[in-house]
Amino acid sequence: MRNIILFIWRHNFTFLFLLLEILAFLLLFQTNRFHNASFYSWSNDFTGGIYQSISNVVEYTRLKQVNKSLAEENALFKTYQSSSYIELKSPIIFVNDTLLGLQYRYIPAKVIKSTIHKTKNYLILNQGKDQGIEPEMAVVCANGVVGIVKDVSDQFSSVLPIIHKDTKISGKIKKNNYFGIINWQGGDTRYAKLSDIPDHVELLVGDTIVTRGSSAIFPANYPIGTIESFKKPEGDNFYEIKIALFTNFQNISHVYVIKNEYKKEQLELEKLIMSNDD
Amino acid sequence: MTDIPKIILRFILLVILQVFILDNIGINGYVNPYVYVLFILLLPMETPNWLLLILGFITGFTIDVFTQTLGMHLSATIFLAYCRPLALKLLSPRGGYDFGLNPNLQQMGINWFVTYAAMLIFAHHLFLFFVESLTFAGFFSTLFRSVLSSIFSLIIVVIFQLLSYNNKKIKI
């Protein structure tokens, strides 16, 4: 017994190292497996305030770009407003609110922090629980899909973008509706990978990829990117497709968080199917 | 003892530099410098080993809080703190170090410092990038990333050291 204590004492440096290293890996795996909401909520509140003030300064340098993209978006909206349309025949208009229900509500938010150089990138938005944002909501920008909300605190929320190696988004080819999984494995943030498209489908470089809208997170047909290149690996029945993302993560700043008002209804129905299978 | 305020100030400056400037620098998602390791590298020679590990823990944890990667920088910085006495032993001159030396560029000379920093920065980056990917699947891509980032970090660290001392005093 005395020898063991002496042994540990002589190598106290190594033992302390191993102890701290075990602690570090426990923290690492715990936060990977479960959403450690309390830690991230706390650290969001703490660091979010600091990032917000930095972002207030940095934003000035981007105003020109932001104005340009907002102006483009405005032009698009102006095109769709009723005064831009000419009446082809005089119609009888019914307005009946019981026929249409709003499914997707868009909440505007600003990116106050984003990373692009890691394999696990993330964004921080300046809107949180108080503005109605909840985990697992879709995040998009004017050009295309951005990612999915991960954790929320009162004033801030963190987002897993497409360019995080664990993010998987269901996408489909717009022209023929074949669907697959979009995933990013590190490297260049302008490109991602689309898998699970069977090799008998006809593809062309430049085909548009849009969201499938199957998971009650993203609305269907929201643009993601275009096919950059594709190849058929030997001995495999699926294409390997490289897609160029519409969203530019290098200068992303204004985004919308999408709230699906009918999400609960869809999920309950899906749960019912699962429980019937058991 | 009089060095303590200086060390605390260096800690704050390096964290600010890392989180607000260097985390935004990178080339095609491959190179990402982590210069906050300089804090551990520059601690006085007489720092007790257990204190090294604790300071490594604090540094890693602070960076993790800012980058939302609890455990990643923590484990890598503890590993760095563990490697530091080994590197010092390996590079020790005949007859050992003089008392009261600091392992910096000014007192130890450029050759010694670059060797010392390169060894430790590479150890830290290699550990960090493998923990980040948590797999050996893309072994060579991860290795490539750590080598490139290490070189980048080393250059920044040396430039920093050159800037913080009066050039005439450096022994080559």
Side-chain angles (χ1 to χ4, degrees):
Chain A
M1 189 62 204
R2 195 162 158 268
N3 282 342
I4 295 175
I5 294 174
L6 266 178
F7 177 76
I8 292 177
W9 182 246
R10 197 170 308 135
H11 297 276
N12 62 16
F13 182 42
T14 308
F15 277 103
L16 184 62
F17 164 69
L18 289 176
L19 194 77
L20 289 175
E21 210 53 270
I22 289 168
L23 183 64
F25 274 96
L26 279 181
L27 288 172
L28 184 74
F29 286 114
Q30 198 200 2
T31 46
N32 268 3
R33 208 164 295 158
F34 317 100
H35 288 197
N36 193 342
S38 58
F39 172 76
Y40 283 117
S41 174
W42 170 78
S43 84
N44 264 352
D45 269 338
F46 173 67
T47 56
I50 301 174
Y51 282 130
Q52 173 86 68
S53 46
I54 295 283
S55 163
N56 284 343
V57 177
V58 175
E59 207 186 355
Y60 278 104
T61 63
R62 287 202 202 134
L63 276 182
K64 207 171 160 186
Q65 267 174 353
V66 171
N67 277 342
K68 196 176 152 233
S69 80
L70 287 179
E72 275 167 8
E73 214 180 335
N74 268 339
L76 192 72
F77 290 146
K78 281 203 165 125
T79 320
Y80 286 131
Q81 75 188 12
S82 55
S83 60
S84 308
Y85 286 85
I86 189 164
E87 266 179 40
L88 295 175
K89 25 177 176 170
S90 122
I92 305 163
I93 300 171
F94 291 97
V95 179
N96 194 341
D97 277 346
T98 54
L99 282 181
L100 294 175
L102 183 68
Q103 186 177 9
Y104 296 106
R105 193 182 295 282
Y106 287 63
I107 306 164
K110 213 177 76 193
V111 177
I112 55 169
K113 159 87 180 170
S114 65
T115 67
I116 49 169
H117 307 305
K118 306 171 190 301
T119 52
K120 291 180 176 177
N121 294 297
Y122 64 93
L123 311 172
I124 304 285
L125 308 181
N126 70 341
Q127 309 279 334
K129 224 181 287 169
D130 289 356
Q131 286 79 21
I133 294 177
E134 291 158 23
E136 308 231 317
M137 280 189 182
V139 182
V140 299
C141 70
N143 304 340
V145 165
V146 175
I148 299 168
V149 175
K150 181 168 177 277
D151 297 302
V152 289
S153 63
D154 289 345
Q155 294 299 330
F156 302 101
S157 47
S158 57
V159 177
L160 292 190
I162 304 177
I163 53 165
H164 181 292
K165 77 181 180 75
D166 297 337
T167 308
K168 289 189 172 63
I169 290 174
S170 195
K172 65 180 184 186
I173 299 163
K174 196 178 178 185
K175 66 174 182 186
N176 54 22
N177 286 336
Y178 277 99
F179 58 86
I181 300 287
I182 290 168
N183 185 229
W184 179 83
Q185 286 298 340
D188 201 327
T189 58
R190 289 173 299 172
Y191 303 103
K193 213 179 79 186
L194 173 64
S195 46
D196 290 0
I197 300 288
D199 61 1
H200 59 79
V201 181
E202 269 183 42
L203 295 179
L204 283 175
V205 169
D207 280 349
T208 310
I209 311 290
V210 295
T211 53
R212 192 180 161 215
S214 61
S215 54
I217 296 175
F218 287 99
N221 297 320
Y222 205 90
I224 298 175
T226 54
I227 295 182
E228 176 79 10
S229 65
F230 58 89
K231 63 176 178 211
K232 203 156 52 174
E234 258 178 69
D236 200 348
N237 294 331
F238 297 100
Y239 281 116
E240 232 182 78
I241 304 169
K242 184 182 180 191
I243 57 178
L245 299 170
F246 285 132
T247 307
N248 184 353
F249 286 95
Q250 315 251 358
N251 66 358
I252 188 162
S253 81
H254 285 78
V255 297
Y256 302 95
V257 181
I258 303 179
K259 180 177 182 162
N260 184 352
E261 306 277 2
Y262 291 87
K263 181 175 179 176
K264 213 174 135 199
E265 214 173 304
Q266 182 179 343
L267 290 184
E268 268 170 13
L269 209 57
E270 278 176 18
K271 213 154 68 183
L272 217 58
I273 300 172
M274 298 289 189
S275 59
N276 282 352
D277 283 350
D278 290 340
Chain B
M1 276 317 237
T2 50
D3 278 346
I4 289 174
K6 210 164 121 189
I7 289 173
I8 293 172
L9 190 69
R10 189 189 292 143
F11 175 78
I12 295 170
L13 282 177
L14 281 171
V15 168
I16 291 174
L17 178 84
Q18 180 64 45
V19 175
F20 295 119
I21 299 172
L22 292 174
D23 269 358
N24 299 317
I25 293 177
I27 301 162
N28 271 352
Y30 269 115
V31 179
N32 202 178
Y34 292 105
V35 173
Y36 69 89
V37 297
L38 185 59
F39 174 70
I40 301 291
L41 297 188
L42 289 185
L43 287 170
M45 292 262 191
E46 278 75 34
T47 315
N49 285 342
W50 61 269
L51 188 61
L52 266 181
L53 291 176
I54 302 292
L55 288 174
F57 189 94
I58 295 171
T59 316
F61 186 76
T62 312
I63 300 290
D64 274 340
V65 166
F66 276 99
T67 54
Q68 303 243 325
T69 50
L70 188 58
M72 221 174 77
H73 290 281
L74 193 58
S75 55
T77 319
I78 294 169
F79 180 68
L80 169 76
Y82 182 71
C83 290
R84 197 186 100 133
L86 304 178
L88 281 178
K89 211 172 174 183
L90 207 66
L91 292 171
S92 81
R94 232 171 287 148
Y97 297 101
D98 293 340
F99 185 78
L101 272 183
N102 286 319
N104 59 28
L105 197 146
Q106 187 198 23
Q107 293 180 5
M108 304 305 296
I110 195 158
N111 285 340
W112 187 91
F113 183 77
V114 170
T115 323
Y116 166 72
M119 276 163 56
L120 289 180
I121 288 175
F122 183 64
H124 170 269
H125 283 36
L126 196 66
F127 195 99
L128 181 72
F129 284 119
F130 274 108
V131 169
E132 188 195 33
S133 62
L134 272 183
T135 158
F136 285 95
F139 181 82
F140 286 103
S141 129
T142 311
L143 189 69
F144 186 56
R145 281 183 69 199
S146 9
V147 172
L148 277 185
S149 298
S150 299
I151 294 170
F152 205 25
S153 300
L154 183 65
I155 292 171
I156 298 177
V157 160
V158 171
I159 290 174
F160 259 52
Q161 283 281 289
L162 287 173
L163 288 178
S164 29
Y165 302 108
N166 187 348
N167 280 357
K168 286 171 198 159
K169 285 184 189 161
I170 295 169
K171 71 173 189 197
I172 305 282

